[in-house]
Amino acid sequence: MISRRDFLQAAMAASAIYGGSAFGNWSRLAAQQAMTQDDLLSFDTSGNVTLIHITDIHAQLVPTWFREPEINLGVGEALGQPPHITGTDFLRRYGIEANSALQYALSYPDFSALARQYGRMGGADRIATVVKAIRADRPDALLLDGGDTWQGSLTALRTQGQDMVNVFNALGTDAMTSHWEFTLGLDRVTDIVDNHLQFPFLGANIFDAEWDEPAYEPYQMFERGGVQVAVIGQAFPYMPIANPGYMFPGLSFGVRQERMAEVVAEARAAGAEAVVVLSHNGFDVDRKLAANVPGIDVILTGHTHDALPEPLLVGKTHLIASGSHGKFVSRLDLDVRDGEVKGVNHKLIPIFSDVIAPDSEMTALVEAERAPFKDELTEVLGRTDGLLYRRGNFNGTWDDLICDALLEEREADIALSPGFRWGASVLPDQDITREDLMNATAMSYPEAYRSEMTGELLHTILEDVADNLFNPDPYYQQGGDMVRVGGMGYRIDINQPQGSRITEMTLLKTGERIDPTKTYVVAGWASVNPEVEGPPIWDVVEAHIRRQGTVSVSPNDSVQVVTG
Amino acid sequence: MQLTRRDALALGGAALSLAALPMRALAATDMVGEAITAFTGGADVGERGITLTAPEIAENGNTVPIEVDAPGAAAIMVLAAGNPNPDVGTFNFGPLAASQFASTRIRLAGTQDVIAIAKMADGSFVRASQEVKVTIGGCGG
């Protein structure tokens, strides 16, 4: 007879074919609202090595709302493959019951209603409870952080990431890798790594640009359960392109597939019986890396913010996707014997903050970190009558609001907002606090510029970003979403080559086609160029929200997407 | 031959689209073919035995690090197919060279293929190429 505990765990041998049935039963249980902390944490401890994976928390220390994307298109070999499955297709694929807690956690349909039913997710104190429970089972479990940890909130911005460093030290993290960390500036990263961080900061693909030599430790060997486990760090490959390179001068990144192959071989030669890559490549890049580089047992993926209920197997490599914003923690038990991984047991643990009890020590630490900013965090700027969310390939209501603010407050024809994937949601008919606004905007290059661009340049920009997203070769993808556009509509055929995807660019206020030779006033923010002038974006959006009182974001139908 | 009005319009269109292409790019394509022919003498070119390492996306198009490795090569020619002058250089290896490997930094005018062709000791040729994207960037995250 199948026990209740069996419902809660998708167990598999390394060679097994993955089905969604066990997971489906779990969600039915959750739908019955019989969810308890024991259910969420229940796990048949197996093997001899346990990994705990958190990634892309974006400085969210307290439970939050986060709506997953409705549109997340895959191209090339990723077409129609996880994680490029959303909504009911996603629910069907993984056997998730309608209106269940897992529908709420992992997909977008009925998000606002389900959010009220199942509550906020995440929170460092709930995560601490989960980590401690796992370590009660397996005291030497490795806690690995995939990066994008020190950026994304008011407190992380004000403390230059110190709040997050303190919290991840207290969690007992064993290693991390990086992306937005470097937007604090190289001096601050060096200060943290040298003076504050109590665990290794790994990046096999971070090089000194001048001498082309490794700039950070590529991997760390851990002895766990009587075997040697190598954890290789892989930072975001396109740091100096997607973020301001002047903030970390002298560093070079890149996918560097051949370097990864060398480091895997080096780790194996040094005695590694299991090789784990702690990656900030993005899921599709990791799928290709797993296919091309032999000898990797597990890739803990990050950057693209995907949450998958099951590992995805590429050859012998298990790809794990643990979501973002603290919504999930993955647990992985590995059976490592005779120099290889014989079996993998996995669970994506959803951090339902109303179900998992907070860890009191961590609650106290988080409160202490937030206390100096309490008045700012709780200050009400206005209200929203609709859901504010960020994720989606082409738009989200948060960026629609930001673009509206840029158009009106900066008197522009066209507004551009970068395709960031971080930013918590705000439910309909809720106050917008300063904390909410900063969750969607807090970063170190927030200047809202206002400049003139020709129609031709605007087209070039859209084509460039579209290729970062829809190039069929994942190694040419940077992992963000499409730049959000206000005041202008366009048509995009994602399967065309660069230069031919974007057509029918139209100035919405006149209905006229964009003239390549004509100049338009464009407002935007988060330019990667140095010496950008303008007020921080949060001031622009705050002024707009205050003027409106209650913001109503109209449905955005100005992007026509062709996928066939 | 008599030109109809439609033919004239179509020709006009063709002339226009030709004019819209940068002349340098057209010239470069010719120059790539010529350089390859000059190097290989028109011999067949294989694909095994040469490794070209270059970034998929250049961090700075003005200085892109590349490496070529072709064990047993007598010479390796490197071309940047989309540059106004595609000739990057040719590395010659003497009989006492311990390895047939070279690394350098090149400037790329825009997204283009970098091509490396090695002349092996036996007179055969092998080729590797990779697209290097030069992007304006700035919207990832």
Side-chain angles (χ1 to χ4, degrees):
Chain A
M1 182 188 158
I2 298 171
S3 73
R4 184 175 146 87
R5 277 178 40 164
D6 290 331
F7 283 131
L8 304 175
Q9 185 173 336
M12 63 209 69
S15 58
I17 297 165
Y18 304 121
S21 57
F23 202 76
N25 287 323
W26 174 22
S27 75
R28 196 166 305 125
L29 195 71
Q32 293 161 357
Q33 297 193 33
M35 206 164 41
T36 67
Q37 180 170 318
D38 286 346
D39 294 335
L40 295 178
L41 295 179
S42 162
F43 197 99
D44 287 330
T45 302
S46 66
N48 48 352
V49 175
T50 295
L51 310 177
I52 309 168
H53 182 223
I54 306 175
T55 192
D56 295 85
I57 194 169
H58 282 286
Q60 299 300 307
L61 287 179
V62 297
T64 192
W65 316 107
F66 186 87
R67 176 195 181 271
E68 299 295 335
E70 176 176 353
I71 298 178
N72 183 17
L73 302 172
V75 288
E77 291 180 9
L79 175 69
Q81 297 298 311
H84 302 282
I85 300 175
T86 62
T88 49
D89 292 341
F90 183 94
L91 302 179
R92 206 175 300 122
R93 159 122 189 172
Y94 292 106
I96 295 170
E97 199 83 349
N99 298 319
S100 64
L102 288 168
Q103 172 178 330
Y104 160 62
L106 288 160
S107 66
Y108 75 90
D110 293 321
F111 179 83
S112 299
L114 295 175
R116 292 198 162 87
Q117 191 177 343
Y118 294 112
R120 294 173 190 259
M121 295 189 70
D125 50 5
R126 274 75 168 184
I127 291 170
T129 297
V130 172
V131 170
K132 282 183 178 177
I134 296 172
R135 283 183 168 152
D137 272 0
R138 166 95 15 100
D140 63 357
L142 285 172
L143 174 57
L144 303 171
D145 172 20
D148 277 0
T149 307
W150 306 344
Q151 173 276 339
S153 72
L154 183 147
T155 57
L157 184 72
R158 296 274 199 276
T159 65
Q160 292 195 287
Q162 192 65 47
D163 59 336
M164 299 308 296
V165 172
N166 295 344
V167 164
F168 274 70
N169 279 340
L171 279 173
T173 310
D174 289 291
M176 76 178 291
T177 191
S178 58
H179 170 193
W180 276 86
E181 281 66 22
F182 282 97
T183 65
L184 295 176
L186 184 55
D187 289 348
R188 174 59 176 155
V189 171
T190 303
D191 172 43
I192 290 175
V193 172
D194 289 352
N195 303 317
H196 302 287
L197 209 60
Q198 294 168 4
F199 47 88
F201 186 83
L202 303 175
N205 61 332
I206 313 177
F207 276 63
D208 175 292
E210 190 169 352
W211 298 103
D212 206 28
E213 291 169 348
Y216 290 85
E217 289 300 318
Y219 76 97
Q220 176 80 31
M221 193 79 89
F222 296 94
E223 189 180 327
R224 290 293 189 274
V227 297
Q228 298 286 318
V229 180
V231 175
I232 302 171
Q234 171 85 348
F236 174 52
Y238 294 119
M239 277 304 312
I241 301 160
N243 302 88
Y246 66 85
M247 292 183 166
F248 35 93
L251 290 183
S252 173
F253 296 72
V255 177
R256 296 177 186 260
Q257 177 178 289
E258 67 294 340
R259 162 71 172 164
M260 179 57 71
E262 281 169 20
V263 175
V264 171
E266 186 186 324
R268 291 278 179 195
E273 291 161 84
V275 172
V276 176
V277 176
L278 179 60
S279 169
H280 207 96
N281 273 335
F283 195 91
D284 291 346
V285 176
D286 280 328
R287 192 194 327 250
K288 181 173 173 183
L289 190 77
N292 288 3
V293 177
I296 303 172
D297 297 301
V298 175
I299 302 183
L300 303 170
T301 73
H303 182 52
T304 38
H305 293 190
D306 315 293
L308 295 181
E310 297 166 6
L312 191 121
L313 197 62
V314 177
K316 292 181 171 178
T317 307
H318 292 73
L319 269 62
I320 308 299
S322 305
S324 67
H325 294 77
K327 284 179 74 175
F328 302 95
V329 168
S330 287
R331 175 178 177 175
L332 220 63
D333 280 17
L334 307 179
D335 180 13
V336 188
R337 273 180 291 132
D338 309 327
E340 62 178 351
V341 174
K342 304 276 191 192
V344 174
N345 236 342
H346 164 266
K347 184 171 177 180
L348 179 73
I349 303 170
I351 310 295
F352 290 108
S353 67
D354 293 343
V355 179
I356 295 173
D359 173 79
S360 57
E361 283 174 64
M362 187 58 82
T363 305
L365 175 57
V366 169
E367 280 179 6
E369 296 294 345
R370 289 166 58 86
F373 312 102
K374 191 157 189 252
D375 291 348
E376 275 188 280
L377 290 167
T378 55
E379 186 183 353
V380 174
L381 309 178
R383 280 179 81 77
T384 178
D385 61 11
L387 175 71
L388 295 179
Y389 65 92
R390 176 153 269 155
R391 282 302 312 279
N393 280 158
F394 302 99
N395 75 291
T397 48
W398 252 126
D399 286 305
D400 290 338
L401 175 64
I402 290 170
C403 285
D404 285 350
L406 284 165
L407 290 175
E408 288 182 27
E409 305 295 323
R410 305 287 283 159
E411 295 179 358
D413 300 321
I414 293 164
L416 300 176
S417 187
F420 297 140
R421 293 189 172 193
W422 49 268
S425 307
V426 183
L427 294 190
D429 301 313
Q430 268 194 349
D431 287 339
I432 304 171
T433 63
R434 186 173 301 286
E435 175 162 37
D436 294 326
L437 174 58
M438 295 305 279
N439 278 343
T441 56
M443 42 96 93
S444 58
Y445 48 106
E447 292 79 14
Y449 62 84
R450 184 176 187 279
S451 64
E452 294 191 335
M453 294 184 191
T454 60
E456 186 182 10
L457 179 59
L458 279 162
H459 183 254
T460 302
I461 290 171
L462 261 59
E463 288 283 357
D464 196 88
V465 182
D467 197 61
N468 294 339
L469 193 53
F470 298 119
N471 191 307
D473 182 342
Y475 282 7
Y476 292 86
Q477 296 171 5
Q478 293 176 20
D481 279 313
M482 189 64 191
V483 58
R484 281 76 163 100
V485 183
M488 187 179 85
Y490 64 92
R491 174 185 165 98
I492 177 168
D493 184 343
I494 66 168
N495 294 314
Q496 296 297 316
Q498 183 170 1
S500 306
R501 290 190 180 95
I502 310 288
T503 55
E504 299 178 29
M505 288 166 51
T506 305
L507 190 65
L508 295 180
K509 69 181 177 188
T510 62
E512 290 170 3
R513 283 291 155 83
I514 296 290
D515 180 342
T517 62
K518 206 177 152 202
T519 296
Y520 300 88
V521 175
V522 179
W525 66 292
S527 167
V528 297
N529 298 318
E531 293 165 32
V532 176
E533 290 182 6
I537 187 65
W538 46 81
D539 284 358
V540 176
V541 181
E542 178 182 345
H544 180 72
I545 293 171
R546 286 192 187 279
R547 197 195 317 274
Q548 305 275 315
T550 298
V551 298
S552 302
V553 177
S554 338
N556 183 338
D557 53 7
S558 58
V559 181
Q560 192 187 346
V561 182
V562 182
T563 59
Chain B
M1 174 187 162
Q2 193 178 352
L3 275 177
T4 65
R5 184 177 146 78
R6 268 182 53 174
D7 288 335
L9 276 175
L11 278 174
L16 195 70
S17 56
L18 268 181
L21 276 173
M23 295 309 285
R24 294 190 311 185
L26 279 177
T29 310
D30 277 356
M31 288 160 75
V32 170
E34 282 170 20
I36 292 173
T37 307
F39 188 68
T40 63
D44 286 348
V45 180
E47 291 191 338
R48 301 180 78 92
I50 181 167
T51 307
L52 168 68
T53 306
E56 286 81 7
I57 306 180
E59 294 177 351
N60 177 356
N62 289 324
T63 167
V64 180
I66 62 152
E67 291 178 1
V68 284
D69 189 5
I76 305 175
M77 178 178 70
V78 177
L79 301 170
N83 273 3
N85 178 357
D87 180 33
V88 172
T90 300
F91 302 95
N92 291 298
F93 303 97
L96 296 179
S99 65
Q100 290 75 35
F101 167 90
S103 68
T104 186
R105 289 167 202 245
I106 62 179
R107 181 175 176 182
L108 298 179
T111 298
Q112 59 182 281
D113 286 336
V114 174
I115 301 166
I117 299 179
K119 180 180 186 179
M120 308 308 284
D122 65 3
S124 66
F125 293 88
V126 289
R127 164 192 171 121
S129 73
Q130 187 188 312
E131 186 184 43
V132 177
K133 202 168 127 178
V134 178
T135 166
I136 50 178
C139 293

